[in-house]
Amino acid sequence: MRELVDYSKQNRVGIWFWKHSRDLRTTDTRENFFSLCKRVGVAGAKIDFFDHEAKEIIDLYQALLRSAAEHQIMVEFHGANKPAGESRTWPNELTREAVRGLEYRSMQTRARHNTTLPFTRFLAGHADYTPMHFGERRRETSWAHQIASAAIFTSPLLILGAHPKNILENPAVDLIKSISSVWDETAVLPDSEIGELAVFARRRGNMWMLAIMNGETEKRLRIPVSFLDRGKYESMLVRDLKDEPAAVKIENVSLARTDTLQIDLRSGGGFVGKFTR
């Protein structure tokens, strides 16, 4: 374990350990696990399989977060219930699953589901949907839709669903690399409609992103980029291809806050724009 962690640190990568929650039900087992993580230099722990909401499980979340915080270990919960503000008390909770995300193989359609979640489940807080996949698991959604989901779905520990090789080979890789896991400002734009369309403008520092996920119906949008500050922005636009969902069209243009984008969305399509000065 230490050899792996030391090697990863040389490459500026933090390691997280996975653990079943049944092995952490007592004070001693929690102390032993989190002290081990601390000793070998682990960054965080992914704790899995809570599976119900009885009082002893709700209490277990608190006990795990407290013990992890004492050892300066970050936490992600899987097989968990939705958040209820725990991260306000315990900021070492970075995310939790509590969502029917890409790990769920049996879902036959995703566009309507994905355009519903930002206005329902995500109101409760962060979720580990494991967004962005370029294979069959994306179902009827396009590559642009999948990339947009990584920018719209909030998870301070952002775990992407795609294989790293497929990310690095994607034409939009430069934009994907710049998707933040936390944002300084978020605006939900007026074209949004639950289950039909999610249109988000999000800012991190001086960089803005416009991310759009479409539902089941083709659409043509005109989106003013008035959320931008004054001045010219170098802009990378990732668009749908009308006849090929497993591809994207890349444009590099200069835009100002007085400009308006025309965006054609296929069924299950999407769009992502990155704007930097």
Side-chain angles (χ1 to χ4, degrees), residues 22-38:
R22 70 186 173 203
D23 299 325
L24 299 171
R25 300 294 171 92
T26 68
T27 301
D28 287 345
T29 56
R30 291 191 291 272
E31 172 61 28
N32 291 339
F33 175 64
F34 289 122
S35 62
L36 170 65
C37 291
K38 178 68 172 178

Side-chain angles (χ1 to χ4, degrees), residues 11-277:
N11 293 278
R12 299 195 299 172
V13 175
I15 293 293
W16 288 58
F17 280 1
W18 180 94
K19 193 75 169 175
H20 199 300
S21 73
R22 70 186 173 203
D23 299 325
L24 299 171
R25 300 294 171 92
T26 68
T27 301
D28 287 345
T29 56
R30 291 191 291 272
E31 172 61 28
N32 291 339
F33 175 64
F34 289 122
S35 62
L36 170 65
C37 291
K38 178 68 172 178
R39 284 199 308 276
V40 299
V42 171
K46 178 176 180 175
I47 304 171
D48 209 341
F49 296 119
F50 293 85
D51 296 337
H52 62 82
E53 296 181 300
K55 185 178 185 300
E56 63 267 22
I57 293 297
I58 302 302
D59 291 344
L60 179 61
Y61 290 122
Q62 295 288 329
L64 288 165
L65 288 166
R66 180 184 294 277
S67 183
E70 289 170 351
H71 293 87
Q72 298 178 308
I73 301 297
M74 296 180 286
V75 175
E76 175 194 5
F77 292 127
H78 251 236
N81 67 340
K82 67 182 184 298
E86 292 87 352
S87 61
R88 287 289 191 173
T89 302
W90 305 108
N92 56 319
E93 180 186 314
L94 291 202
T95 193
R96 60 171 70 196
E97 187 181 19
V99 69
R100 183 161 287 187
L102 281 174
E103 189 179 49
Y104 186 74
R105 291 178 175 270
S106 300
M107 183 173 287
Q108 296 306 305
T109 60
R110 291 199 176 271
R112 185 170 182 83
H113 179 62
N114 288 354
T115 52
T116 299
L117 288 174
F119 313 107
T120 53
R121 163 62 181 87
F122 277 93
L123 297 183
H126 48 230
D128 186 16
Y129 183 100
T130 55
M132 201 178 73
H133 200 279
F134 303 124
E136 59 83 24
R137 203 177 284 216
R138 64 182 168 80
R139 298 298 190 248
E140 83 285 18
T141 64
S142 70
W143 279 10
H145 179 114
Q146 288 293 313
I147 297 168
S149 71
I152 291 175
F153 294 157
T154 298
S155 184
L157 174 64
L158 181 59
I159 301 173
L160 301 178
H163 191 287
K165 179 176 183 290
N166 295 332
I167 296 175
L168 294 173
E169 293 176 352
N170 193 282
V173 61
D174 290 339
L175 183 144
I176 293 169
K177 286 181 178 181
S178 63
I179 294 175
S180 184
S181 62
V182 292
W183 300 91
D184 298 322
E185 184 177 352
T186 296
V188 182
L189 301 188
D191 294 86
S192 299
E193 185 175 350
I194 297 173
E196 297 291 338
L197 189 68
V199 186
F200 277 53
R202 309 194 85 171
R203 180 183 61 82
R204 179 68 188 274
N206 292 323
M207 184 268 288
W208 279 92
M209 274 196 178
L210 173 64
I212 302 174
M213 296 187 299
N214 191 31
E216 299 169 345
T217 305
E218 290 185 10
K219 296 178 179 66
R220 171 167 287 184
L221 305 178
R222 289 182 58 82
I223 304 292
V225 291
S226 53
F227 51 83
L228 299 176
D229 295 324
R230 296 184 184 279
K232 286 288 187 178
Y233 282 75
E234 296 305 311
S235 306
M236 180 179 183
L237 311 181
V238 179
R239 297 181 182 270
D240 281 328
L241 287 184
K242 181 175 177 59
D243 299 320
E244 178 50 79
V248 291
K249 177 183 178 182
I250 307 294
E251 296 177 26
N252 291 284
V253 296
S254 181
L255 294 172
R257 66 192 313 271
T258 54
D259 291 319
T260 296
L261 289 171
Q262 179 172 300
I263 301 169
D264 293 318
L265 298 168
R266 57 177 290 123
S267 173
F271 171 91
V272 188
K274 174 188 174 183
F275 311 93
T276 54
R277 284 194 291 189

